[in-house]
Amino acid sequence: MDDTNDIVEIAQLIQKWGLCRDQGRWDDLKATFTPDGTIFVTWFQGWFADFVKASQKMYVPTSPRVKHLIGLPVVQVKGKRAVAETNVQILGRFAAEGTDVDYTSYARFLDRLVHTDDGWRIHARVAVYEKDRLDPVVPSVAFDNFMTQTDFSKVPEPYRYLGYRLLSAGRPLQSGIICDGTPEADILIQEAQRWMLQVSCAD
């Protein structure tokens, strides 16, 4: 069976999520997930509809704002279910001790997708964090001092600087955040595979 059309549609859907999230196209963003869809990222875990509402509250209509660079997903399709893993870079900017810094977070989205009457939709997404970094917009002594004098150790290394940014903005991190190469990440992938292979009357 040729799954090419399904794979292309799913790839477009995942790209659409990033574009709509970054550009504040909320109705289109809602349409990328099923009505009962869930999402788990550093700062949010729960229903996707609530994620959209929370994203609206923090949205900044003018640049610089958070940017998601989303790669080409690796997609597996089984009937009306699919699993996709997608490399993503999360880019942002904030002021640290009076100097502008850019953070880059490297992660993967692990998506479970279902085929609906309206086409493919994401049913569940979990972000798996790999590594991140901070860079000065303009190199300065102030940035060097910030990096040497700030204690980042409270946040696990795979999402250390993204986590610091969230905490410094007063946004708590979720518990159980998934990091690459851990047993939890392996279990997550295995569970997604088993879910895809399950066949039910609803499928």
Side-chain angles (χ1 to χ4, degrees):
M1 182 176 179
D2 187 355
D3 297 322
T4 301
N5 290 337
D6 292 320
I7 291 171
V8 170
E9 182 181 341
I10 288 169
Q12 284 289 299
L13 177 72
I14 293 171
Q15 289 290 336
K16 181 180 179 181
W17 182 94
L19 179 66
C20 293
R21 168 64 179 81
D22 294 344
Q23 296 298 315
R25 301 176 188 175
W26 307 118
D27 289 339
D28 290 336
L29 181 63
K30 291 177 187 176
T32 62
F33 268 66
T34 61
D36 60 344
T38 61
I39 187 169
F40 182 13
V41 293
T42 49
W43 62 275
F44 186 92
Q45 182 176 15
W47 301 113
F48 185 69
D50 293 333
F51 170 88
V52 175
K53 292 176 183 177
S55 298
Q56 285 180 272
K57 290 180 180 179
M58 69 180 72
Y59 182 69
V60 178
T62 57
S63 293
R65 55 176 178 252
V66 174
K67 180 79 171 178
H68 293 80
L69 297 182
I70 296 179
L72 186 65
V74 175
V75 182
Q76 301 174 69
V77 178
K78 183 69 174 180
K80 293 187 177 181
R81 292 187 178 188
V83 170
E85 284 190 82
T86 309
N87 287 320
V88 58
Q89 294 180 41
I90 306 163
L91 313 178
R93 178 172 294 178
F94 67 101
E97 302 299 326
T99 185
D100 287 339
V101 298
D102 285 340
Y103 64 83
T104 304
S105 176
Y106 298 88
R108 298 194 314 279
F109 287 153
L110 177 63
D111 293 334
R112 303 184 188 192
L113 303 104
V114 295
H115 194 273
T116 72
D117 291 341
D118 296 317
W120 286 98
R121 295 293 184 268
I122 302 167
H123 177 63
R125 166 171 289 175
V126 179
V128 179
Y129 294 88
E130 299 175 348
K131 63 179 181 179
D132 64 357
R133 61 181 293 154
L134 277 182
D135 295 287
V137 175
V138 178
S140 65
V141 173
F143 174 78
D144 295 339
N145 291 337
F146 166 71
M147 292 300 292
T148 57
Q149 296 172 9
T150 303
D151 181 9
F152 298 104
S153 63
K154 294 181 180 178
V155 182
E157 185 175 359
Y159 54 96
R160 175 156 291 166
Y161 302 116
L162 173 58
Y164 172 84
R165 164 61 180 139
L166 293 169
L167 291 172
S168 65
R171 293 161 58 189
L173 299 174
Q174 297 298 305
S175 61
I177 294 170
I178 304 297
C179 297
D180 187 44
T182 62
E184 291 80 9
D186 292 339
I187 291 171
L188 183 71
I189 294 170
Q190 292 166 9
E191 289 177 342
Q193 292 288 328
R194 286 195 293 269
W195 171 85
M196 180 182 64
L197 296 174
Q198 289 174 353
V199 177
S200 69
C201 294
D203 292 340

